[in-house]
PDB file of all heavy atoms in Angstrom:
ATOM      1  N   MET B 100     125.185   7.987 137.901  1.00 46.00           N
ATOM      2  CA  MET B 100     124.861   9.378 138.222  1.00 46.00           C
ATOM      3  C   MET B 100     123.330   9.585 138.211  1.00 46.00           C
ATOM      4  O   MET B 100     122.630   9.101 137.326  1.00 46.00           O
ATOM      5  CB  MET B 100     125.492  10.223 137.099  1.00 46.00           C
ATOM      6  CG  MET B 100     125.643  11.689 137.476  1.00 46.00           C
ATOM      7  SD  MET B 100     126.601  12.432 136.107  1.00 46.00           S
ATOM      8  CE  MET B 100     125.829  14.041 136.114  1.00 46.00           C
ATOM      9  N   ASP B 102     121.512  12.123 137.693  1.00 72.00           N
ATOM     10  CA  ASP B 102     120.897  12.988 136.658  1.00 72.00           C
ATOM     11  C   ASP B 102     120.789  12.299 135.284  1.00 72.00           C
ATOM     12  O   ASP B 102     120.275  12.905 134.386  1.00 72.00           O
ATOM     13  CB  ASP B 102     121.743  14.236 136.501  1.00 72.00           C
ATOM     14  CG  ASP B 102     122.026  14.976 137.821  1.00 72.00           C
ATOM     15  OD1 ASP B 102     121.212  14.829 138.742  1.00 72.00           O
ATOM     16  OD2 ASP B 102     123.067  15.618 137.876  1.00 72.00           O
ATOM     17  N   THR B 123      98.364  15.075 114.564  1.00 98.00           N
ATOM     18  CA  THR B 123      98.316  16.304 113.783  1.00 98.00           C
ATOM     19  C   THR B 123      97.950  15.935 112.293  1.00 98.00           C
ATOM     20  O   THR B 123      97.086  16.626 111.690  1.00 98.00           O
ATOM     21  CB  THR B 123      99.670  17.030 113.763  1.00 98.00           C
ATOM     22  OG1 THR B 123     100.033  17.257 115.156  1.00 98.00           O
ATOM     23  CG2 THR B 123      99.624  18.392 113.044  1.00 98.00           C
ATOM     24  N   VAL B 126      94.259  15.276 112.281  1.00 97.00           N
ATOM     25  CA  VAL B 126      93.460  16.539 112.328  1.00 97.00           C
ATOM     26  C   VAL B 126      93.467  17.215 110.951  1.00 97.00           C
ATOM     27  O   VAL B 126      92.454  17.667 110.449  1.00 97.00           O
ATOM     28  CB  VAL B 126      94.032  17.505 113.386  1.00 97.00           C
ATOM     29  CG1 VAL B 126      93.380  18.878 113.313  1.00 97.00           C
ATOM     30  CG2 VAL B 126      93.817  16.930 114.819  1.00 97.00           C
ATOM     31  N   ALA B 134      80.875  21.295 108.234  1.00 89.00           N
ATOM     32  CA  ALA B 134      80.071  21.953 107.178  1.00 89.00           C
ATOM     33  C   ALA B 134      79.831  23.406 107.324  1.00 89.00           C
ATOM     34  O   ALA B 134      79.676  24.094 106.325  1.00 89.00           O
ATOM     35  CB  ALA B 134      78.750  21.186 107.078  1.00 89.00           C
ATOM     36  N   VAL B 135      79.749  23.904 108.512  1.00 91.00           N
ATOM     37  CA  VAL B 135      79.399  25.322 108.707  1.00 91.00           C
ATOM     38  C   VAL B 135      80.700  26.175 109.083  1.00 91.00           C
ATOM     39  O   VAL B 135      80.982  27.182 108.494  1.00 91.00           O
ATOM     40  CB  VAL B 135      78.348  25.511 109.844  1.00 91.00           C
ATOM     41  CG1 VAL B 135      78.023  26.998 110.037  1.00 91.00           C
ATOM     42  CG2 VAL B 135      77.091  24.724 109.439  1.00 91.00           C
ATOM     43  N   MET B 136      81.404  25.682 110.084  1.00 93.00           N
ATOM     44  CA  MET B 136      82.544  26.490 110.600  1.00 93.00           C
ATOM     45  C   MET B 136      83.787  26.442 109.760  1.00 93.00           C
ATOM     46  O   MET B 136      84.644  27.313 109.834  1.00 93.00           O
ATOM     47  CB  MET B 136      82.915  25.991 112.050  1.00 93.00           C
ATOM     48  CG  MET B 136      81.828  26.255 113.073  1.00 93.00           C
ATOM     49  SD  MET B 136      82.353  25.784 114.724  1.00 93.00           S
ATOM     50  CE  MET B 136      81.736  24.142 114.816  1.00 93.00           C
ATOM     51  N   ALA B 138      87.495  25.219 108.466  1.00 95.00           N
ATOM     52  CA  ALA B 138      88.784  24.749 108.969  1.00 95.00           C
ATOM     53  C   ALA B 138      88.949  25.063 110.480  1.00 95.00           C
ATOM     54  O   ALA B 138      89.580  24.279 111.214  1.00 95.00           O
ATOM     55  CB  ALA B 138      89.975  25.335 108.214  1.00 95.00           C
ATOM     56  N   VAL B 139      88.459  26.168 110.982  1.00 95.00           N
ATOM     57  CA  VAL B 139      88.725  26.591 112.351  1.00 95.00           C
ATOM     58  C   VAL B 139      88.183  25.529 113.359  1.00 95.00           C
ATOM     59  O   VAL B 139      88.643  25.451 114.478  1.00 95.00           O
ATOM     60  CB  VAL B 139      88.182  27.995 112.655  1.00 95.00           C
ATOM     61  CG1 VAL B 139      86.685  28.008 112.852  1.00 95.00           C
ATOM     62  CG2 VAL B 139      88.856  28.617 113.904  1.00 95.00           C
ATOM     63  N   LYS B 141      88.711  22.586 113.389  1.00 96.00           N
ATOM     64  CA  LYS B 141      89.760  21.600 113.698  1.00 96.00           C
ATOM     65  C   LYS B 141      90.672  22.016 114.884  1.00 96.00           C
ATOM     66  O   LYS B 141      91.406  21.191 115.425  1.00 96.00           O
ATOM     67  CB  LYS B 141      90.652  21.379 112.405  1.00 96.00           C
ATOM     68  CG  LYS B 141      89.986  20.580 111.324  1.00 96.00           C
ATOM     69  CD  LYS B 141      90.770  20.539 110.065  1.00 96.00           C
ATOM     70  CE  LYS B 141      90.048  19.814 108.944  1.00 96.00           C
ATOM     71  NZ  LYS B 141      90.475  18.413 108.810  1.00 96.00           N
ATOM     72  N   PHE B 145      92.555  19.893 119.590  1.00 97.00           N
ATOM     73  CA  PHE B 145      93.639  20.168 120.518  1.00 97.00           C
ATOM     74  C   PHE B 145      93.173  21.111 121.646  1.00 97.00           C
ATOM     75  O   PHE B 145      93.734  21.105 122.741  1.00 97.00           O
ATOM     76  CB  PHE B 145      94.856  20.748 119.830  1.00 97.00           C
ATOM     77  CG  PHE B 145      95.631  19.736 118.995  1.00 97.00           C
ATOM     78  CD1 PHE B 145      95.148  18.451 118.757  1.00 97.00           C
ATOM     79  CD2 PHE B 145      96.885  20.064 118.441  1.00 97.00           C
ATOM     80  CE1 PHE B 145      95.819  17.534 117.967  1.00 97.00           C
ATOM     81  CE2 PHE B 145      97.598  19.137 117.727  1.00 97.00           C
ATOM     82  CZ  PHE B 145      97.055  17.877 117.467  1.00 97.00           C
ATOM     83  N   GLU B 184     102.764  23.629 136.777  1.00 98.00           N
ATOM     84  CA  GLU B 184     103.441  24.243 135.593  1.00 98.00           C
ATOM     85  C   GLU B 184     102.868  23.657 134.287  1.00 98.00           C
ATOM     86  O   GLU B 184     102.550  24.390 133.370  1.00 98.00           O
ATOM     87  CB  GLU B 184     104.941  24.026 135.716  1.00 98.00           C
ATOM     88  CG  GLU B 184     105.684  25.043 134.877  1.00 98.00           C
ATOM     89  CD  GLU B 184     107.183  24.970 135.103  1.00 98.00           C
ATOM     90  OE1 GLU B 184     107.650  25.481 136.131  1.00 98.00           O
ATOM     91  OE2 GLU B 184     107.862  24.364 134.274  1.00 98.00           O
ATOM     92  N   ILE B 185     102.810  22.293 134.202  1.00 98.00           N
ATOM     93  CA  ILE B 185     102.317  21.700 132.993  1.00 98.00           C
ATOM     94  C   ILE B 185     100.833  22.018 132.751  1.00 98.00           C
ATOM     95  O   ILE B 185     100.387  22.304 131.662  1.00 98.00           O
ATOM     96  CB  ILE B 185     102.587  20.168 133.010  1.00 98.00           C
ATOM     97  CG1 ILE B 185     103.950  19.806 132.392  1.00 98.00           C
ATOM     98  CG2 ILE B 185     101.613  19.394 132.090  1.00 98.00           C
ATOM     99  CD1 ILE B 185     105.115  20.086 133.202  1.00 98.00           C
ATOM    100  N   VAL B 188     100.630  25.513 131.313  1.00 98.00           N
ATOM    101  CA  VAL B 188     101.015  25.603 129.848  1.00 98.00           C
ATOM    102  C   VAL B 188      99.875  25.153 128.980  1.00 98.00           C
ATOM    103  O   VAL B 188      99.490  25.826 128.032  1.00 98.00           O
ATOM    104  CB  VAL B 188     102.295  24.747 129.613  1.00 98.00           C
ATOM    105  CG1 VAL B 188     102.572  24.583 128.135  1.00 98.00           C
ATOM    106  CG2 VAL B 188     103.502  25.349 130.284  1.00 98.00           C
ATOM    107  N   THR B 196      93.538  29.213 122.127  1.00 97.00           N
ATOM    108  CA  THR B 196      92.881  28.565 120.961  1.00 97.00           C
ATOM    109  C   THR B 196      91.370  28.776 121.018  1.00 97.00           C
ATOM    110  O   THR B 196      90.773  28.912 119.950  1.00 97.00           O
ATOM    111  CB  THR B 196      93.216  27.057 120.862  1.00 97.00           C
ATOM    112  OG1 THR B 196      92.906  26.456 122.057  1.00 97.00           O
ATOM    113  CG2 THR B 196      94.688  26.780 120.477  1.00 97.00           C
ATOM    114  N   ILE B 199      90.764  32.157 119.568  1.00 97.00           N
ATOM    115  CA  ILE B 199      90.939  32.180 118.151  1.00 97.00           C
ATOM    116  C   ILE B 199      89.738  31.527 117.458  1.00 97.00           C
ATOM    117  O   ILE B 199      89.258  32.046 116.377  1.00 97.00           O
ATOM    118  CB  ILE B 199      92.263  31.417 117.736  1.00 97.00           C
ATOM    119  CG1 ILE B 199      93.454  32.224 118.179  1.00 97.00           C
ATOM    120  CG2 ILE B 199      92.305  31.128 116.227  1.00 97.00           C
ATOM    121  CD1 ILE B 199      94.805  31.541 118.087  1.00 97.00           C
ATOM    122  N   ARG B 202      86.606  33.958 117.494  1.00 96.00           N
ATOM    123  CA  ARG B 202      86.583  35.162 116.642  1.00 96.00           C
ATOM    124  C   ARG B 202      85.617  34.998 115.399  1.00 96.00           C
ATOM    125  O   ARG B 202      84.739  35.773 115.217  1.00 96.00           O
ATOM    126  CB  ARG B 202      87.984  35.538 116.208  1.00 96.00           C
ATOM    127  CG  ARG B 202      88.075  36.798 115.305  1.00 96.00           C
ATOM    128  CD  ARG B 202      87.613  38.035 116.046  1.00 96.00           C
ATOM    129  NE  ARG B 202      87.550  39.197 115.183  1.00 96.00           N
ATOM    130  CZ  ARG B 202      86.426  39.542 114.554  1.00 96.00           C
ATOM    131  NH1 ARG B 202      85.335  38.865 114.602  1.00 96.00           N
ATOM    132  NH2 ARG B 202      86.405  40.665 113.768  1.00 96.00           N
ATOM    133  N   LEU B 316     113.675  18.021 136.563  1.00 97.00           N
ATOM    134  CA  LEU B 316     114.263  19.386 136.742  1.00 97.00           C
ATOM    135  C   LEU B 316     114.136  19.826 138.209  1.00 97.00           C
ATOM    136  O   LEU B 316     115.062  20.427 138.763  1.00 97.00           O
ATOM    137  CB  LEU B 316     113.494  20.338 135.804  1.00 97.00           C
ATOM    138  CG  LEU B 316     114.023  21.781 135.788  1.00 97.00           C
ATOM    139  CD1 LEU B 316     115.312  21.872 135.038  1.00 97.00           C
ATOM    140  CD2 LEU B 316     112.969  22.704 135.110  1.00 97.00           C
ATOM    141  N   GLU B 329     124.826  23.743 151.855  1.00 89.00           N
ATOM    142  CA  GLU B 329     125.962  23.050 152.420  1.00 89.00           C
ATOM    143  C   GLU B 329     127.195  23.926 152.413  1.00 89.00           C
ATOM    144  O   GLU B 329     127.949  24.020 153.422  1.00 89.00           O
ATOM    145  CB  GLU B 329     126.233  21.807 151.602  1.00 89.00           C
ATOM    146  CG  GLU B 329     126.823  20.646 152.310  1.00 89.00           C
ATOM    147  CD  GLU B 329     126.982  19.406 151.460  1.00 89.00           C
ATOM    148  OE1 GLU B 329     125.979  18.981 150.827  1.00 89.00           O
ATOM    149  OE2 GLU B 329     128.114  18.909 151.380  1.00 89.00           O
ATOM    150  N   LEU B 330     127.400  24.629 151.325  1.00 88.00           N
ATOM    151  CA  LEU B 330     128.579  25.499 151.179  1.00 88.00           C
ATOM    152  C   LEU B 330     128.431  26.769 152.067  1.00 88.00           C
ATOM    153  O   LEU B 330     129.432  27.292 152.501  1.00 88.00           O
ATOM    154  CB  LEU B 330     128.785  25.898 149.754  1.00 88.00           C
ATOM    155  CG  LEU B 330     129.374  24.850 148.865  1.00 88.00           C
ATOM    156  CD1 LEU B 330     129.228  25.166 147.373  1.00 88.00           C
ATOM    157  CD2 LEU B 330     130.850  24.629 149.148  1.00 88.00           C
TER     158      LEU B 330
ATOM    159  N   PRO S 834      81.248  25.632 103.539  1.00 88.00           N
ATOM    160  CA  PRO S 834      81.776  26.011 104.901  1.00 88.00           C
ATOM    161  C   PRO S 834      82.356  27.383 104.888  1.00 88.00           C
ATOM    162  O   PRO S 834      82.872  27.838 103.822  1.00 88.00           O
ATOM    163  CB  PRO S 834      82.824  24.969 105.227  1.00 88.00           C
ATOM    164  CG  PRO S 834      82.725  23.909 104.211  1.00 88.00           C
ATOM    165  CD  PRO S 834      81.993  24.463 102.998  1.00 88.00           C
ATOM    166  N   ALA S 835      82.401  28.058 106.018  1.00 88.00           N
ATOM    167  CA  ALA S 835      82.997  29.417 106.098  1.00 88.00           C
ATOM    168  C   ALA S 835      84.502  29.330 105.832  1.00 88.00           C
ATOM    169  O   ALA S 835      85.087  28.287 106.167  1.00 88.00           O
ATOM    170  CB  ALA S 835      82.720  29.997 107.473  1.00 88.00           C
ATOM    171  N   THR S 837      87.644  29.877 107.144  1.00 94.00           N
ATOM    172  CA  THR S 837      88.262  30.198 108.392  1.00 94.00           C
ATOM    173  C   THR S 837      89.687  29.594 108.510  1.00 94.00           C
ATOM    174  O   THR S 837      90.161  29.335 109.590  1.00 94.00           O
ATOM    175  CB  THR S 837      87.408  29.647 109.590  1.00 94.00           C
ATOM    176  OG1 THR S 837      87.148  28.225 109.325  1.00 94.00           O
ATOM    177  CG2 THR S 837      86.075  30.352 109.699  1.00 94.00           C
ATOM    178  N   TYR S 840      92.320  31.366 110.764  1.00 97.00           N
ATOM    179  CA  TYR S 840      92.182  31.127 112.196  1.00 97.00           C
ATOM    180  C   TYR S 840      92.664  29.776 112.547  1.00 97.00           C
ATOM    181  O   TYR S 840      93.251  29.527 113.616  1.00 97.00           O
ATOM    182  CB  TYR S 840      90.709  31.279 112.614  1.00 97.00           C
ATOM    183  CG  TYR S 840      90.199  32.690 112.408  1.00 97.00           C
ATOM    184  CD1 TYR S 840      89.438  33.066 111.282  1.00 97.00           C
ATOM    185  CD2 TYR S 840      90.474  33.650 113.350  1.00 97.00           C
ATOM    186  CE1 TYR S 840      88.999  34.378 111.075  1.00 97.00           C
ATOM    187  CE2 TYR S 840      90.045  34.964 113.228  1.00 97.00           C
ATOM    188  CZ  TYR S 840      89.321  35.356 112.031  1.00 97.00           C
ATOM    189  OH  TYR S 840      88.921  36.619 111.897  1.00 97.00           O
ATOM    190  N   PHE S 841      92.452  28.803 111.633  1.00 97.00           N
ATOM    191  CA  PHE S 841      92.942  27.421 111.844  1.00 97.00           C
ATOM    192  C   PHE S 841      94.453  27.427 111.924  1.00 97.00           C
ATOM    193  O   PHE S 841      95.045  26.885 112.856  1.00 97.00           O
ATOM    194  CB  PHE S 841      92.462  26.568 110.673  1.00 97.00           C
ATOM    195  CG  PHE S 841      93.187  25.267 110.531  1.00 97.00           C
ATOM    196  CD1 PHE S 841      92.997  24.222 111.445  1.00 97.00           C
ATOM    197  CD2 PHE S 841      94.026  25.060 109.451  1.00 97.00           C
ATOM    198  CE1 PHE S 841      93.654  23.015 111.290  1.00 97.00           C
ATOM    199  CE2 PHE S 841      94.663  23.805 109.252  1.00 97.00           C
ATOM    200  CZ  PHE S 841      94.515  22.848 110.173  1.00 97.00           C
ATOM    201  N   TYR S 845      96.997  26.590 115.267  1.00 97.00           N
ATOM    202  CA  TYR S 845      98.083  25.609 115.344  1.00 97.00           C
ATOM    203  C   TYR S 845      99.441  26.234 115.523  1.00 97.00           C
ATOM    204  O   TYR S 845     100.347  25.601 116.142  1.00 97.00           O
ATOM    205  CB  TYR S 845      97.954  24.648 114.156  1.00 97.00           C
ATOM    206  CG  TYR S 845      96.909  23.581 114.480  1.00 97.00           C
ATOM    207  CD1 TYR S 845      95.582  23.836 114.185  1.00 97.00           C
ATOM    208  CD2 TYR S 845      97.278  22.475 115.207  1.00 97.00           C
ATOM    209  CE1 TYR S 845      94.624  22.921 114.546  1.00 97.00           C
ATOM    210  CE2 TYR S 845      96.319  21.575 115.610  1.00 97.00           C
ATOM    211  CZ  TYR S 845      94.962  21.754 115.254  1.00 97.00           C
ATOM    212  OH  TYR S 845      93.979  20.882 115.698  1.00 97.00           O
ATOM    213  N   VAL S 847      99.868  28.778 117.501  1.00 97.00           N
ATOM    214  CA  VAL S 847      99.848  29.024 118.942  1.00 97.00           C
ATOM    215  C   VAL S 847     100.164  27.694 119.693  1.00 97.00           C
ATOM    216  O   VAL S 847     101.009  27.642 120.588  1.00 97.00           O
ATOM    217  CB  VAL S 847      98.507  29.602 119.399  1.00 97.00           C
ATOM    218  CG1 VAL S 847      98.332  29.509 120.911  1.00 97.00           C
ATOM    219  CG2 VAL S 847      98.451  31.092 118.928  1.00 97.00           C
ATOM    220  N   ILE S 848      99.472  26.644 119.290  1.00 98.00           N
ATOM    221  CA  ILE S 848      99.621  25.338 119.972  1.00 98.00           C
ATOM    222  C   ILE S 848     101.087  24.908 119.943  1.00 98.00           C
ATOM    223  O   ILE S 848     101.690  24.604 120.981  1.00 98.00           O
ATOM    224  CB  ILE S 848      98.706  24.255 119.335  1.00 98.00           C
ATOM    225  CG1 ILE S 848      97.216  24.614 119.620  1.00 98.00           C
ATOM    226  CG2 ILE S 848      99.070  22.880 119.836  1.00 98.00           C
ATOM    227  CD1 ILE S 848      96.220  23.898 118.782  1.00 98.00           C
ATOM    228  N   PHE S 849     101.641  24.847 118.705  1.00 98.00           N
ATOM    229  CA  PHE S 849     102.995  24.335 118.589  1.00 98.00           C
ATOM    230  C   PHE S 849     104.024  25.373 119.108  1.00 98.00           C
ATOM    231  O   PHE S 849     105.107  24.971 119.622  1.00 98.00           O
ATOM    232  CB  PHE S 849     103.308  23.892 117.155  1.00 98.00           C
ATOM    233  CG  PHE S 849     102.624  22.576 116.844  1.00 98.00           C
ATOM    234  CD1 PHE S 849     101.433  22.591 116.078  1.00 98.00           C
ATOM    235  CD2 PHE S 849     103.085  21.381 117.356  1.00 98.00           C
ATOM    236  CE1 PHE S 849     100.792  21.381 115.826  1.00 98.00           C
ATOM    237  CE2 PHE S 849     102.437  20.201 117.101  1.00 98.00           C
ATOM    238  CZ  PHE S 849     101.285  20.187 116.357  1.00 98.00           C
ATOM    239  N   ILE S 851     103.650  27.524 121.728  1.00 98.00           N
ATOM    240  CA  ILE S 851     103.739  27.471 123.164  1.00 98.00           C
ATOM    241  C   ILE S 851     104.388  26.149 123.639  1.00 98.00           C
ATOM    242  O   ILE S 851     105.218  26.178 124.529  1.00 98.00           O
ATOM    243  CB  ILE S 851     102.296  27.609 123.820  1.00 98.00           C
ATOM    244  CG1 ILE S 851     101.770  29.047 123.568  1.00 98.00           C
ATOM    245  CG2 ILE S 851     102.342  27.303 125.327  1.00 98.00           C
ATOM    246  CD1 ILE S 851     100.389  29.304 124.054  1.00 98.00           C
ATOM    247  N   MET S 852     104.072  25.053 122.979  1.00 98.00           N
ATOM    248  CA  MET S 852     104.677  23.800 123.417  1.00 98.00           C
ATOM    249  C   MET S 852     106.208  23.827 123.171  1.00 98.00           C
ATOM    250  O   MET S 852     106.976  23.386 123.997  1.00 98.00           O
ATOM    251  CB  MET S 852     104.062  22.606 122.673  1.00 98.00           C
ATOM    252  CG  MET S 852     102.695  22.267 123.185  1.00 98.00           C
ATOM    253  SD  MET S 852     102.033  20.613 122.801  1.00 98.00           S
ATOM    254  CE  MET S 852     101.878  20.742 121.078  1.00 98.00           C
ATOM    255  N   TYR S 855     107.861  25.991 125.762  1.00 98.00           N
ATOM    256  CA  TYR S 855     107.984  25.315 127.085  1.00 98.00           C
ATOM    257  C   TYR S 855     109.115  24.301 127.097  1.00 98.00           C
ATOM    258  O   TYR S 855     109.850  24.196 128.085  1.00 98.00           O
ATOM    259  CB  TYR S 855     106.615  24.701 127.478  1.00 98.00           C
ATOM    260  CG  TYR S 855     106.692  24.086 128.870  1.00 98.00           C
ATOM    261  CD1 TYR S 855     106.907  24.962 129.981  1.00 98.00           C
ATOM    262  CD2 TYR S 855     106.616  22.750 129.079  1.00 98.00           C
ATOM    263  CE1 TYR S 855     107.039  24.425 131.251  1.00 98.00           C
ATOM    264  CE2 TYR S 855     106.763  22.194 130.372  1.00 98.00           C
ATOM    265  CZ  TYR S 855     106.940  23.050 131.448  1.00 98.00           C
ATOM    266  OH  TYR S 855     107.085  22.565 132.686  1.00 98.00           O
ATOM    267  N   LEU S 859     112.397  24.243 129.467  1.00 98.00           N
ATOM    268  CA  LEU S 859     112.810  23.097 130.285  1.00 98.00           C
ATOM    269  C   LEU S 859     114.263  22.750 130.033  1.00 98.00           C
ATOM    270  O   LEU S 859     115.057  22.552 130.966  1.00 98.00           O
ATOM    271  CB  LEU S 859     111.980  21.829 129.975  1.00 98.00           C
ATOM    272  CG  LEU S 859     110.598  21.710 130.604  1.00 98.00           C
ATOM    273  CD1 LEU S 859     109.906  20.435 130.135  1.00 98.00           C
ATOM    274  CD2 LEU S 859     110.607  21.649 132.158  1.00 98.00           C
ATOM    275  N   ARG S 862     116.637  25.607 131.411  1.00 98.00           N
ATOM    276  CA  ARG S 862     116.723  25.515 132.931  1.00 98.00           C
ATOM    277  C   ARG S 862     117.532  24.313 133.351  1.00 98.00           C
ATOM    278  O   ARG S 862     118.283  24.362 134.310  1.00 98.00           O
ATOM    279  CB  ARG S 862     115.284  25.474 133.536  1.00 98.00           C
ATOM    280  CG  ARG S 862     114.644  26.792 133.489  1.00 98.00           C
ATOM    281  CD  ARG S 862     113.286  26.804 134.223  1.00 98.00           C
ATOM    282  NE  ARG S 862     112.225  26.132 133.412  1.00 98.00           N
ATOM    283  CZ  ARG S 862     111.063  25.795 133.890  1.00 98.00           C
ATOM    284  NH1 ARG S 862     110.727  26.007 135.152  1.00 98.00           N
ATOM    285  NH2 ARG S 862     110.174  25.226 133.086  1.00 98.00           N
ATOM    286  N   TRP S 863     117.376  23.181 132.661  1.00 97.00           N
ATOM    287  CA  TRP S 863     118.135  21.974 132.974  1.00 97.00           C
ATOM    288  C   TRP S 863     119.615  22.258 132.803  1.00 97.00           C
ATOM    289  O   TRP S 863     120.435  21.921 133.648  1.00 97.00           O
ATOM    290  CB  TRP S 863     117.643  20.816 132.067  1.00 97.00           C
ATOM    291  CG  TRP S 863     118.421  19.595 132.254  1.00 97.00           C
ATOM    292  CD1 TRP S 863     119.486  19.119 131.525  1.00 97.00           C
ATOM    293  CD2 TRP S 863     118.200  18.587 133.260  1.00 97.00           C
ATOM    294  NE1 TRP S 863     119.965  17.960 132.023  1.00 97.00           N
ATOM    295  CE2 TRP S 863     119.228  17.580 133.077  1.00 97.00           C
ATOM    296  CE3 TRP S 863     117.312  18.442 134.312  1.00 97.00           C
ATOM    297  CZ2 TRP S 863     119.277  16.437 133.915  1.00 97.00           C
ATOM    298  CZ3 TRP S 863     117.407  17.329 135.159  1.00 97.00           C
ATOM    299  CH2 TRP S 863     118.403  16.377 134.968  1.00 97.00           C
ATOM    300  N   LEU S 866     120.989  24.553 135.495  1.00 97.00           N
ATOM    301  CA  LEU S 866     121.135  23.878 136.811  1.00 97.00           C
ATOM    302  C   LEU S 866     122.270  22.909 136.765  1.00 97.00           C
ATOM    303  O   LEU S 866     122.979  22.758 137.808  1.00 97.00           O
ATOM    304  CB  LEU S 866     119.808  23.145 137.120  1.00 97.00           C
ATOM    305  CG  LEU S 866     118.680  24.040 137.734  1.00 97.00           C
ATOM    306  CD1 LEU S 866     117.384  23.233 137.854  1.00 97.00           C
ATOM    307  CD2 LEU S 866     119.059  24.581 139.073  1.00 97.00           C
ATOM    308  N   LYS S 867     122.526  22.241 135.655  1.00 97.00           N
ATOM    309  CA  LYS S 867     123.662  21.301 135.557  1.00 97.00           C
ATOM    310  C   LYS S 867     124.972  22.041 135.706  1.00 97.00           C
ATOM    311  O   LYS S 867     125.884  21.590 136.441  1.00 97.00           O
ATOM    312  CB  LYS S 867     123.634  20.606 134.156  1.00 97.00           C
ATOM    313  CG  LYS S 867     122.588  19.589 134.016  1.00 97.00           C
ATOM    314  CD  LYS S 867     122.916  18.307 134.676  1.00 97.00           C
ATOM    315  CE  LYS S 867     123.719  17.333 133.829  1.00 97.00           C
ATOM    316  NZ  LYS S 867     123.895  16.069 134.465  1.00 97.00           N
ATOM    317  N   LEU S 873     129.211  24.121 141.913  1.00 95.00           N
ATOM    318  CA  LEU S 873     129.078  23.917 143.343  1.00 95.00           C
ATOM    319  C   LEU S 873     129.826  22.639 143.823  1.00 95.00           C
ATOM    320  O   LEU S 873     130.426  22.666 144.865  1.00 95.00           O
ATOM    321  CB  LEU S 873     127.615  23.863 143.745  1.00 95.00           C
ATOM    322  CG  LEU S 873     126.843  25.175 143.591  1.00 95.00           C
ATOM    323  CD1 LEU S 873     125.314  24.968 143.692  1.00 95.00           C
ATOM    324  CD2 LEU S 873     127.278  26.156 144.681  1.00 95.00           C
ATOM    325  N   GLU S 874     129.732  21.592 142.990  1.00 93.00           N
ATOM    326  CA  GLU S 874     130.516  20.379 143.326  1.00 93.00           C
ATOM    327  C   GLU S 874     132.007  20.678 143.407  1.00 93.00           C
ATOM    328  O   GLU S 874     132.701  20.170 144.306  1.00 93.00           O
ATOM    329  CB  GLU S 874     130.284  19.276 142.316  1.00 93.00           C
ATOM    330  CG  GLU S 874     128.827  18.768 142.215  1.00 93.00           C
ATOM    331  CD  GLU S 874     128.525  17.590 143.144  1.00 93.00           C
ATOM    332  OE1 GLU S 874     129.343  17.395 144.058  1.00 93.00           O
ATOM    333  OE2 GLU S 874     127.471  16.939 142.955  1.00 93.00           O
ATOM    334  N   LYS S 877     132.798  22.540 146.473  1.00 88.00           N
ATOM    335  CA  LYS S 877     132.720  21.642 147.632  1.00 88.00           C
ATOM    336  C   LYS S 877     134.027  20.803 147.761  1.00 88.00           C
ATOM    337  O   LYS S 877     134.487  20.655 148.861  1.00 88.00           O
ATOM    338  CB  LYS S 877     131.481  20.721 147.458  1.00 88.00           C
ATOM    339  CG  LYS S 877     131.031  20.069 148.710  1.00 88.00           C
ATOM    340  CD  LYS S 877     129.827  19.183 148.387  1.00 88.00           C
ATOM    341  CE  LYS S 877     129.833  17.944 149.266  1.00 88.00           C
ATOM    342  NZ  LYS S 877     128.794  16.993 148.840  1.00 88.00           N
TER     343      LYS S 877
END
Side-chain angles (χ1 to χ4, degrees):
Chain B
M100 201 172 144
D102 310 333
T123 304
V126 169
V135 180
M136 292 184 269
V139 77
K141 287 173 183 262
F145 286 9
E184 202 174 282
I185 272 74
V188 169
T196 53
I199 291 169
R202 181 66 187 91
L316 184 73
E329 210 176 306
L330 284 165
Chain S
T837 52
Y840 295 100
F841 163 71
Y845 278 88
V847 165
I848 291 164
F849 286 103
I851 292 177
M852 285 198 295
Y855 184 65
L859 279 177
R862 283 184 285 169
W863 177 265
L866 282 173
K867 286 283 272 186
L873 290 167
E874 295 271 17
K877 199 180 144 187

